[in-house]
Amino acid sequence: MKNSQNGMKIEPADRMSALPTQFFAKLVGKTNAQIAEGRDVINLGQGNPDQPTPPHIVKKLQDSASNPLYHKYPPFSGYSFLKEAVAERYMEDYGVELDPATEVAILFGGKTGLVEISQCLLNPGDVCLVPDPGYPDYWSGVALAGAEMAFMPLTKENGFLPDFSAISDETAAKAKLMFMNYPNNPTGAIANEAFYAEAVQFAKRNGIVAASDFAYGAIGFDGRKQVSFLQAPGAKEVGIEFYTLSKSYNMAGWRVGFALGNADIISLINLIQDHYYCSLFGGIQEAAALALTGPQQCVADLSETYERRRDVLFESLDAIGWKADKPGGSFFCWLPVPEGYTSEQFADKLLYEADVVVAPGVGFGSHGEGYVRLGLLTSEERLREAVARIGKLGLFGA
């Protein structure tokens, strides 16, 4: 530390400068500047659910908040009733058996676990296999661990699934961790049983821990039920799955997530969290347990809402000549940019000339260039209006 005229100079640890740039902070800044000017901005660029938490879950929190037991510190690894609830949900939805005591960790939201697993498993210089395009917070955990990333391209030609055969023997031998995410953010692609079986074999053959990000697992379209990585034979031998209530139950602000699967990895996550946290407020845990074990019609209704919005959006896109493939899950749509634009240039054009916010694909990795991500997180009327505004720019020749 050195002194300066303005006081002591604060010198951050090296790990702080190694953190990836938060690409979407810039997008938020641009958006807020337009809103501050009084513009009627339709924001399709972020992934924040727009619907309220179901009333029966809110009521349970209101009631349980008065329980004096929850005014004290909760157990470090959380209450057993919440672990039992998520195990019950996985058995009912996916036929996956989980031991609540050893194969479930409670997280402060799924994002926390996605960062923690890298810190639990990776040493400086180790390699992590990361999807490209993919959720940027995978990068954050790897950077905090001082490890390195090897990107797995997700291309339209391969259904936005990684091609394990394209990963070199040298890279596979160095890798210790691999992230997967289906239904996928940002592409909306989905995975099937055959893909997960192949992923398990690849991980086992190369001694790689597989981490499945199943944040959008409850959101499936066209009558299709999503597949959990843990349904694949041998999945718990090689990895874990991250599950969250944020999307399924519109509980993003509640910060309730889980790591599920391999007992040794779950033990490591519980250990690192012992040093960071003292678990979630007990009232939130009780309400979360009700969400998992109570009526599930709200989950089905939510998925149907997103499917209707998807269909309205793509009907409108077709009318202006913007051709793209419908997503099979999640609440995101992955759309190609018109010729002559980068993804960021195109996103800026939509923001400044149509007052519509989309996320540039390059913010999710180099293979995201050429696309933008739209979220189905506003009403059908506003989705139609957004596309109508874009259509007036005359970019698609309709």
Side-chain angles (χ1 to χ4, degrees):
M1 300 287 182
K2 298 177 181 178
N3 291 330
S4 68
Q5 288 183 333
N6 296 322
M8 185 173 70
K9 180 182 178 182
I10 305 300
E11 297 181 357
D14 291 344
R15 70 178 63 88
M16 299 304 294
S17 60
L19 286 171
T21 301
Q22 279 288 359
F23 184 91
F24 293 97
K26 183 167 67 171
L27 178 65
V28 170
K30 291 177 181 179
T31 301
N32 289 341
Q34 291 296 98
I35 293 172
E37 291 181 7
R39 310 285 297 185
D40 176 26
V41 174
I42 301 177
N43 190 347
L44 308 180
Q46 294 172 273
N48 198 3
D50 65 310
Q51 299 293 299
T53 304
H56 67 285
I57 302 172
V58 175
K59 180 66 163 57
K60 175 58 73 172
L61 174 61
Q62 292 169 334
D63 293 343
S64 60
S66 63
N67 185 343
L69 172 66
Y70 299 146
H71 302 170
K72 304 178 181 183
Y73 289 120
F76 269 81
S77 62
Y79 286 100
S80 59
F81 63 74
L82 180 53
K83 298 179 185 182
E84 291 162 4
V86 74
E88 180 180 324
R89 173 58 37 220
Y90 255 68
M91 174 56 73
E92 184 169 331
D93 285 352
Y94 309 111
V96 171
E97 184 174 355
L98 293 164
D99 180 349
T102 62
E103 296 180 338
V104 176
I106 298 171
L107 308 172
F108 278 72
K111 172 178 174 173
T112 300
L114 293 168
V115 172
E116 288 172 343
I117 190 170
S118 289
Q119 296 174 289
C120 288
L121 297 175
L122 299 176
N123 291 313
D126 285 340
V127 170
C128 178
L129 298 173
V130 180
D132 177 7
Y135 182 50
D137 283 316
Y138 305 147
W139 313 344
S140 303
V142 177
L144 287 168
E148 301 172 5
M149 292 188 290
F151 290 101
M152 301 183 293
L154 308 185
T155 65
K156 180 179 179 179
E157 294 71 26
N158 202 47
F160 297 108
L161 299 168
D163 179 359
F164 297 124
S165 68
I167 299 170
S168 71
D169 292 342
E170 180 183 6
T171 298
K174 290 180 179 178
K176 290 182 65 177
L177 177 64
M178 172 178 69
F179 285 105
M180 303 175 292
N181 169 218
Y182 297 96
N184 184 255
N185 175 16
T187 70
I190 60 174
N192 59 21
E193 294 93 335
F195 168 76
Y196 284 132
E198 183 184 359
V200 169
Q201 292 308 309
F202 173 77
K204 188 178 296 187
R205 188 165 62 247
N206 293 285
I208 299 170
V209 169
S212 167
D213 178 0
F214 202 40
Y216 304 92
I219 305 172
F221 305 140
D222 307 311
R224 186 185 294 111
K225 184 176 177 61
Q226 303 297 354
V227 178
S228 163
F229 165 69
L230 295 180
Q231 290 175 268
K236 284 198 288 186
E237 296 173 29
V238 299
I240 64 172
E241 185 154 86
F242 293 99
Y243 183 76
T244 172
L245 305 193
S246 294
K247 283 76 179 181
S248 308
Y249 301 92
N250 284 318
M251 294 174 65
W254 297 55
R255 310 314 302 136
V256 185
F258 305 93
L260 310 164
N262 183 280
D264 292 335
I265 302 170
I266 296 302
S267 177
L268 291 173
I269 289 176
N270 278 325
L271 176 59
I272 198 170
Q273 291 197 147
D274 282 351
H275 293 271
Y276 279 142
Y277 317 113
C278 191
S279 197
L280 296 166
F281 172 56
I284 288 179
Q285 292 192 50
E286 188 168 321
L290 175 66
L292 290 161
T293 60
Q296 298 300 298
Q297 187 59 45
C298 58
V299 180
D301 291 346
L302 183 63
S303 187
E304 290 172 7
T305 294
Y306 289 135
E307 184 166 3
R308 286 194 304 271
R309 291 178 178 181
R310 180 202 66 168
D311 292 345
V312 163
L313 177 72
F314 275 80
E315 178 184 308
S316 301
L317 293 174
D318 189 61
I320 68 168
W322 194 354
K323 305 299 181 183
D325 295 327
K326 288 184 177 181
S330 83
F331 46 53
F332 294 120
C333 304
W334 193 235
L335 307 178
V337 305
E339 204 169 319
Y341 293 89
T342 67
S343 61
E344 192 165 10
Q345 288 169 345
F346 182 61
D348 282 347
K349 187 174 184 68
L350 298 192
L351 174 61
Y352 296 122
E353 298 183 26
D355 291 321
V356 175
V357 182
V358 299
V362 73
F364 301 94
S366 62
H367 282 82
E369 186 54 83
Y371 292 87
V372 291
R373 189 193 74 178
L374 275 69
L376 301 169
L377 300 170
T378 190
S379 69
E380 295 170 27
E381 179 184 6
R382 291 289 274 176
L383 289 170
R384 288 192 184 96
E385 169 65 19
V387 178
R389 292 181 187 181
I390 295 169
K392 290 177 182 177
L393 300 179
L395 297 169
F396 300 100

